[in-house]
Amino acid sequence: MMSLSLIINPEKHWVEVMKKQFFVLLIGAGLLITGCDQFHHKNESIEDKHMVQKVLLNNANQLDIDNIAANLVVKYRVVTNVPSNKCDKAKADGKCFEVELSFTAKEVIKAKGWKIYFSHILPVQSFESDEFAVTHLNGDLHQITLNDEYKGFAEGETKTILFRALFWSLSEYDALPNYIVAASNTVAKVIESTRVKIDTDTGLEILPYVVPYLDHQKQFKRTAADSTKWLNSADLFTRNQQLGTEKLDVKHVIIPTPKSVQYDKNNTQLSVINGVKVDFGNVEQSGVSAALSRLSTLGLKTSEKGVLLKLAIIENKEQLIGSYQLDITDTAIFITGVDVNGVFNGLQSLASLITLGSTQLPLLSIVDEPHFGFRGLLIDVARNFHDKTFILSMLDQMAAYKLNKLHLHLGDDEGWRLEIPSLPELTEVSSVRCLDFKEEQCLVPQLGAGVDKTAAVNGYYSVADYQEILKAATARHIQVIPSLDMPGHSRAAIKAMAVRTKKYSIIEQTDKAEQFNLYDATDKTVYSSVQYYNDNTINVCLESSYAFVNEVMTQVKKIHADAGQPLTRYHIGADETAGAWLDSQVCKDFIANNDKGVKDMSELGAYFIERVAGILSDLDIETAGWSDGLAHTRKDNMPAVVQSNAWDVLFWNGQNKVHQLANRNWQIVISSPDVLYFDFPYEADPKEHGYYWASRHTNTEKVFQFMPDNLPVHAEFWLDRQDNPYETDDTTSPLSEGRRFLGIQGQLWSENTRNNDMVEHKIFPRLLALAQRAWHLADWAVPYNYHGAKYNQQTNTFNDLLRAERDKQWAQFANTLGQKELAKLELFDIDYRLPTVGAIIKEGKLHANIAFPGLIIEFLDEVEGAKKVEWQRYHSEIEVKGSVKVRSRTSDKKRTGRITSVNH
């Protein structure tokens, strides 16, 4: 006999049971009831019990679930982003958007007692339907149940739900896939019409059930004040014209740009048709083998008959780690580094000089060093998993462009991705998502994960996998900085340890049951995290929470040591959840009686961070974390070395907090969402993939424009998230004289990035511009004003001469991508984003251009009534007669870019 507790989880408040809905819940759960006395309540009537027995006769069986999954056609249509009086005024400043969710049955559906579970990033706050009810459960997970009025589907019949969710929806990829249909005593199935499809031409994900966004006012604008332009081919054509009409000669260009380059005045070339003969000198071969492997793949192979390539290390304490000198003469190539990292970087610059298919290298002399010591990339494998092979590929590309820090985000609410041998539950339970509301076999399917435990979005790195990553990183002079977010964003850890607690409680091993418990079972606090979880925050008042941290970090440190890359820095996350712990008796007792100086609930988050930082210090591990959490700590309670990832939004005067933390003498890694969040769209178009909470369009040029040493100055030439001018006031918290940042880091969060190709699409080619800004200090960059200043569109500190030089260098960079570097990415099977094509029709002729000159442009001229037409390659202006579409294509011709139409 199934008990009611399996339907209703009072601990998490997932289902509010009201008498009016009591029997609907029973029906939806599909209980097999032999007698209703077990459910008798003092307010229930005999008539109610007969009603339950009658309705359960039509309860869905497995054939019904299979039929619904195969034949129910779901359509998701955003009606409007314009708020109405039906929006909840108490939430999101009264902003909401409306969605029409429709269901069409291709075959008759008679069964009752089934439910649909679906993910929706923003919570549904209200709905309208005669036959269905929508409930927000937790995180992004929602439930659709059948009302008393539900009468089944006739063949071809369509039923709809109109619902409202917080804020707005501006992208067709806001919707999440894999709606799940389920009933009691059946195997849950994904509704086929909601599965992700892959476009065979572009390789991009498609959500066929999402109705295209077409309305500028209702579907494109965030608010009435939104000035963002929907990018079209004509505007893009105008923007691309700044690159000029002719391709530039870029065969000698290196990315990232070296500090100093002197070319031979006679433009003499060195032939390397026979490859190179390497003299390793005092350089360990293992320290440069990965760079030599890249050279070989690009066509410069090692050979006894080749040109001499002489490597050497000459230590110089006055130069930065990774500095080098590269000389190409008419007889040999010489690379001298201050360390093996420097020699490695010199080899990567040699690789950058190569144009595929060419056997000539220019004679030159390079003296080079990095601008920043920290040149990082974050890859989130927690929300959706990305496998070992993918990470190894990413390490190759990071090293190619001299990035040296991989921030690997391994733990969050939706998944734990690293094997901890002493705590197997972390990966046995929390590396997988399926439909198990007890969460003893897996986590519930957030982010549209579906029900398949073997799906690519699930998984983890075994110790052996992770150590292979560490060894590959070490060979490429990349430090791996792991992150397992705490105390917020910790749902995966909390649920796994709850399973462990239960396991040992059953066999009455109380010590083990309580050893690593992360939540207070008596805590009645009702809270909601930024991602709308009500149970994702570690209880910071439990000693077992710190025992867990110590155990995990001890294990991770050993894994690193055994792989030959010592764990010297760990990113704790440090995200907090406002309102957590307020009704925890454990925390109330702690506040009333502790010797840590913690006197108020508001201080608990900082206490956790400070204490965890102390645990790390005891393990000889330096602390890193996000700026918002670290800002609440007391400097005197933190270690001497702290890395703060500054993700404060620039157009909200984010530089103030960044500077305040820098003035604590902390190491600041600039991670500004305005420009360094690579999960954001490239362009402002609903068909672009990505979130957009801080930027609607972050293309490669914007990353190139970034001046990370001077955050407030961007107000002079960038706009806010609604493309309106903004002002920064840097007079209240300027940097202390001479203070500098440690470096910069690009971020790829993976909430709606479900496969490896989409990760590559979002990271590349922006990663090359990130590398440019991390390694090279542009001569057009405005130096920081340590006296503080205000900046806006009129202040003109970034004057016309500087802008002209920046744009000139961007044209060279863009040409280098189009003519050299993107072809190399193709060789390594990297699915970089192909830019959409700029185009106009003038006097009956098509004029087209592209952001990266050298890429292939194609067009389709569809004349009404004509036979099937084929795509043609565009070379120069050409007469067109019909409806015209354009797209780009890779140089290897394997993929195309997104198609856009050209207006006559």
Side-chain angles (χ1 to χ4, degrees):
M1 182 66 203
M2 184 183 290
S3 72
L4 188 58
S5 64
L6 297 186
I7 311 167
I8 304 165
N9 188 338
E11 177 183 316
K12 301 309 173 195
H13 308 287
W14 278 14
V15 182
E16 181 182 357
V17 182
M18 297 179 291
K19 184 175 185 300
K20 180 179 178 182
Q21 296 180 331
F22 179 72
F23 296 104
V24 177
L25 287 167
L26 294 180
I27 295 163
L31 295 175
L32 297 178
I33 300 178
T34 56
C36 290
D37 289 341
Q38 293 93 330
F39 295 94
H40 185 65
H41 186 277
K42 63 181 180 180
N43 292 325
E44 293 169 16
S45 65
I46 298 298
E47 180 182 0
D48 287 335
K49 289 187 285 183
H50 286 316
M51 175 185 171
V52 172
Q53 291 172 319
K54 179 179 178 180
V55 173
L56 285 174
L57 295 176
N58 292 322
N59 200 46
N61 58 34
Q62 191 63 57
L63 289 176
D64 295 318
I65 296 301
D66 294 347
N67 174 56
I68 294 168
N71 295 301
L72 193 64
V73 178
V74 178
K75 290 293 180 183
Y76 179 100
R77 182 175 73 89
V78 169
V79 177
T80 183
N81 286 311
V82 179
S84 70
N85 57 11
K86 294 183 179 180
C87 296
D88 189 335
K89 304 301 181 186
K91 297 178 180 178
D93 297 324
K95 297 179 178 66
C96 78
F97 65 100
E98 286 189 348
V99 173
E100 180 188 75
L101 195 61
S102 68
F103 306 98
T104 302
K106 293 192 289 186
E107 295 184 3
V108 172
I109 299 175
K110 293 182 178 179
K112 299 184 179 181
W114 50 272
K115 300 179 182 181
I116 291 175
Y117 297 97
F118 71 104
S119 288
H120 198 263
I121 287 296
L122 295 165
V124 172
Q125 60 176 230
S126 64
F127 66 91
E128 296 171 16
S129 174
D130 292 333
E131 299 185 67
F132 304 101
V134 184
T135 306
H136 173 229
L137 301 180
N138 199 13
D140 61 58
L141 193 61
H142 292 70
Q143 173 185 263
I144 298 173
T145 52
L146 311 180
N147 289 342
D148 293 346
E149 301 301 318
Y150 172 73
K151 297 179 177 61
F153 284 83
E155 182 178 346
E157 183 180 4
T158 297
K159 300 177 186 289
T160 63
I161 304 172
L162 184 70
F163 68 73
R164 295 164 202 89
L166 299 179
F167 296 109
W168 39 69
S169 176
L170 308 177
S171 168
E172 294 173 13
Y173 295 95
D174 287 347
L176 293 170
N178 297 325
Y179 287 36
I180 300 165
V181 60
S184 180
N185 301 314
T186 64
V187 177
K189 294 293 183 71
V190 169
I191 298 174
E192 290 297 322
S193 63
T194 65
R195 289 188 185 274
V196 171
K197 306 295 183 186
I198 302 296
D199 185 303
T200 55
D201 291 326
T202 65
L204 298 176
E205 279 192 356
I206 301 171
L207 299 178
Y209 75 100
V210 177
V211 178
Y213 292 24
L214 301 173
D215 191 300
H216 185 274
Q217 293 296 321
K218 294 181 178 180
Q219 296 176 316
F220 181 77
K221 296 185 69 169
R222 192 188 304 258
T223 69
D226 196 338
S227 301
T228 309
K229 292 194 68 174
W230 193 324
L231 186 67
N232 57 42
S233 58
D235 290 338
L236 188 52
F237 180 84
T238 300
R239 190 172 78 189
N240 290 339
Q241 282 186 311
Q242 69 173 300
L243 299 171
T245 57
E246 301 294 331
K247 290 194 297 185
L248 303 179
D249 181 0
V250 294
K251 59 180 177 290
H252 298 167
V253 176
I254 294 171
I255 295 177
T257 302
K259 186 173 184 178
S260 169
V261 185
Q262 290 185 330
Y263 293 100
D264 177 71
K265 293 180 180 179
N266 298 318
N267 197 27
T268 309
Q269 305 287 304
L270 172 67
S271 173
V272 288
I273 193 169
N274 293 321
V276 291
K277 181 180 180 180
V278 184
D279 178 354
F280 289 97
N282 62 343
V283 178
E284 285 287 339
Q285 185 172 345
S286 61
V288 295
S289 59
L292 291 171
S293 176
R294 177 176 176 82
L295 283 168
S296 179
T297 303
L298 296 177
L300 188 58
K301 300 183 183 298
T302 57
S303 168
E304 287 297 316
K305 298 180 180 179
V307 170
L308 175 65
L309 171 57
K310 186 172 180 56
L311 310 179
I313 296 173
I314 300 178
E315 293 186 9
N316 186 337
K317 301 297 185 183
E318 295 182 0
Q319 288 188 284
L320 297 172
I321 294 172
S323 301
Y324 68 94
Q325 182 168 336
L326 167 63
D327 296 290
I328 302 178
T329 71
D330 56 359
T331 59
I333 303 169
F334 302 90
I335 297 176
T336 304
V338 299
D339 50 22
V340 67
N341 190 355
V343 177
F344 186 90
N345 288 332
L347 288 167
Q348 297 293 16
S349 289
L350 182 63
S352 189
L353 282 168
I354 293 173
T355 299
L356 294 182
S358 172
T359 58
Q360 302 291 313
L361 292 173
L363 304 194
L364 52 70
S365 180
I366 293 174
V367 177
D368 199 11
E369 65 180 7
H371 177 53
F372 287 124
F374 190 111
R375 306 178 299 279
L377 177 68
L378 175 148
I379 301 178
D380 171 13
V381 299
R383 271 57 177 272
N384 285 306
F385 185 60
H386 301 287
D387 60 21
K388 176 190 70 177
T389 301
F390 169 75
I391 298 298
L392 295 176
S393 170
M394 289 301 304
L395 288 170
D396 275 333
Q397 298 309 314
M398 290 176 64
Y401 300 102
K402 304 184 179 73
L403 298 181
N404 66 346
K405 308 290 181 182
L406 174 61
H407 179 169
L408 203 52
H409 189 64
L410 295 161
D412 212 292
D413 294 322
E414 296 82 10
W416 183 284
R417 308 301 182 185
L418 177 60
E419 178 186 11
I420 304 297
S422 62
L423 300 172
E425 297 85 2
L426 287 168
T427 45
E428 289 174 354
V429 176
S430 292
S431 71
V432 181
R433 282 167 285 181
C434 67
L435 200 65
D436 171 21
F437 285 107
K438 293 183 182 179
E439 298 190 289
E440 294 178 351
Q441 304 298 320
C442 60
L443 299 178
V444 290
Q446 305 282 351
L447 299 173
V451 296
D452 182 3
K453 290 184 177 182
T454 66
V457 297
N458 297 320
Y460 67 94
Y461 304 123
S462 67
V463 169
D465 289 336
Y466 187 63
Q467 289 181 331
E468 187 175 345
I469 290 170
L470 292 174
K471 290 174 182 178
T474 300
R476 290 155 181 79
H477 305 278
I478 294 172
Q479 179 186 13
V480 176
I481 302 174
S483 173
L484 298 158
D485 221 340
M486 303 174 192
H489 291 273
S490 295
R491 191 173 188 276
I494 292 167
K495 293 301 177 182
M497 291 302 94
V499 170
R500 186 183 191 277
T501 295
K502 181 176 180 180
K503 177 174 69 177
Y504 286 110
S505 294
I506 290 172
I507 59 177
E508 298 182 351
Q509 293 188 20
T510 305
D511 289 347
K512 284 189 175 182
E514 297 177 355
Q515 186 179 10
F516 301 121
N517 180 43
L518 302 178
Y519 77 104
D520 173 10
T522 66
D523 188 356
K524 303 302 181 184
T525 307
V526 177
Y527 65 87
S528 178
S529 72
V530 175
Q531 282 80 25
Y532 307 102
Y533 289 101
N534 56 33
D535 57 353
N536 78 332
T537 306
I538 291 173
N539 191 298
V540 301
C541 305
L542 291 168
E543 284 302 308
S544 52
S545 295
Y546 301 98
F548 172 80
V549 172
N550 188 72
E551 177 66 17
V552 169
M553 294 318 305
T554 300
Q555 293 281 322
V556 176
K557 180 179 179 179
K558 182 179 187 304
I559 293 170
H560 271 251
D562 291 347
Q565 186 178 111
L567 180 62
T568 58
R569 183 164 295 191
Y570 170 74
H571 200 287
I572 65 177
D575 292 293
E576 300 175 41
T577 302
W581 321 304
L582 295 179
D583 202 15
S584 165
Q585 189 59 49
V586 175
C587 284
K588 291 178 181 178
D589 293 344
F590 176 79
I591 293 294
N593 184 25
N594 72 85
D595 58 359
K596 311 295 183 183
V598 181
K599 300 178 181 179
D600 189 83
M601 289 284 187
S602 63
E603 300 171 4
L604 287 173
Y607 163 71
F608 177 85
I609 296 166
E610 292 164 4
R611 186 163 172 186
V612 170
I615 292 172
L616 294 176
S617 292
D618 291 342
L619 293 169
D620 294 321
I621 301 169
E622 294 170 346
T623 294
W626 296 105
S627 54
D628 56 331
L630 292 177
H632 298 155
T633 62
R634 293 158 290 187
K635 183 177 183 295
D636 293 343
N637 289 354
M638 294 293 286
V641 176
V642 175
Q643 174 192 314
S644 175
N645 283 79
W647 68 294
D648 306 271
V649 179
L650 301 184
F651 58 79
W652 287 333
N653 273 296
Q655 80 281 344
N656 288 332
K657 185 187 293 181
V658 179
H659 294 168
Q660 289 165 11
L661 296 182
N663 290 339
R664 292 188 183 188
N665 200 28
W666 286 358
Q667 297 179 353
I668 304 299
V669 176
I670 300 300
S671 308
S672 305
D674 318 53
V675 63
L676 296 177
Y677 270 36
F678 294 166
D679 52 309
F680 286 4
Y682 281 87
E683 304 290 359
D685 189 307
K687 293 192 181 300
E688 289 282 336
H689 289 256
Y691 288 165
Y692 41 79
W693 60 267
S695 175
R696 193 73 180 276
H697 42 96
T698 302
N699 58 25
T700 306
E701 182 179 5
K702 185 176 183 181
V703 182
F704 181 88
Q705 293 176 348
F706 190 38
M707 301 183 212
D709 299 277
N710 190 345
L711 299 180
V713 77
H714 296 90
E716 291 196 346
F717 55 93
W718 283 354
L719 302 170
D720 68 12
R721 67 177 180 176
Q722 298 197 109
D723 273 9
N724 293 317
Y726 68 94
E727 181 173 273
T728 51
D729 182 355
D730 193 37
T731 61
T732 57
S733 299
L735 282 171
S736 300
E737 187 72 33
R739 186 78 65 194
R740 289 194 59 214
F741 302 136
L742 179 65
I744 65 173
Q745 176 175 283
Q747 280 67 225
L748 190 284
W749 301 106
S750 70
E751 286 99 327
N752 65 353
T753 308
R754 289 170 282 271
N755 66 54
N756 296 341
D757 288 346
M758 285 306 305
V759 178
E760 292 173 351
H761 174 88
K762 292 181 178 183
I763 290 179
F764 296 95
R766 290 187 279 207
L767 178 136
L768 280 72
L770 168 71
Q772 177 76 358
R773 294 284 69 86
W775 182 271
H776 177 70
L777 176 61
D779 54 10
W780 45 261
V782 178
Y784 180 72
N785 181 352
Y786 287 98
H787 299 292
K790 294 182 179 180
Y791 301 90
N792 55 47
Q793 300 277 320
Q794 286 75 47
T795 49
N796 202 36
T797 307
F798 186 52
N799 60 46
D800 291 344
L801 289 176
L802 294 175
R803 291 177 190 238
E805 182 59 28
R806 179 198 66 186
D807 294 345
K808 176 184 175 182
Q809 291 183 23
W810 163 248
Q812 183 186 70
F813 189 90
N815 273 267
T816 305
L817 292 185
Q819 296 181 51
K820 286 176 58 176
E821 294 306 309
L822 296 183
K824 294 174 186 176
L825 293 179
E826 293 168 23
L827 189 63
F828 287 93
D829 198 27
I830 299 297
D831 280 10
Y832 62 88
R833 178 191 183 267
L834 279 157
T836 46
V837 173
I840 59 170
I841 297 173
K842 185 178 180 180
E843 297 178 353
K845 292 185 177 182
L846 173 66
H847 300 253
N849 57 22
I850 197 162
F852 306 132
L855 284 176
I856 296 170
I857 297 174
E858 296 180 337
F859 72 98
L860 190 69
D861 186 9
E862 297 178 296
V863 179
E864 188 175 353
K867 295 181 179 179
K868 182 181 179 182
V869 293
E870 301 291 338
W871 285 90
Q872 304 175 60
R873 184 162 180 171
Y874 175 87
H875 296 283
S876 60
E877 62 181 63
I878 185 171
E879 184 179 357
V880 289
K881 297 180 179 179
S883 175
V884 177
K885 296 176 181 177
V886 290
R887 69 184 184 187
S888 54
R889 182 179 286 276
T890 56
S891 59
D892 65 10
K893 301 182 180 180
K894 292 181 179 179
R895 289 189 300 118
T896 65
R898 185 164 57 81
I899 297 170
T900 54
S901 297
V902 186
N903 294 326
H904 279 270

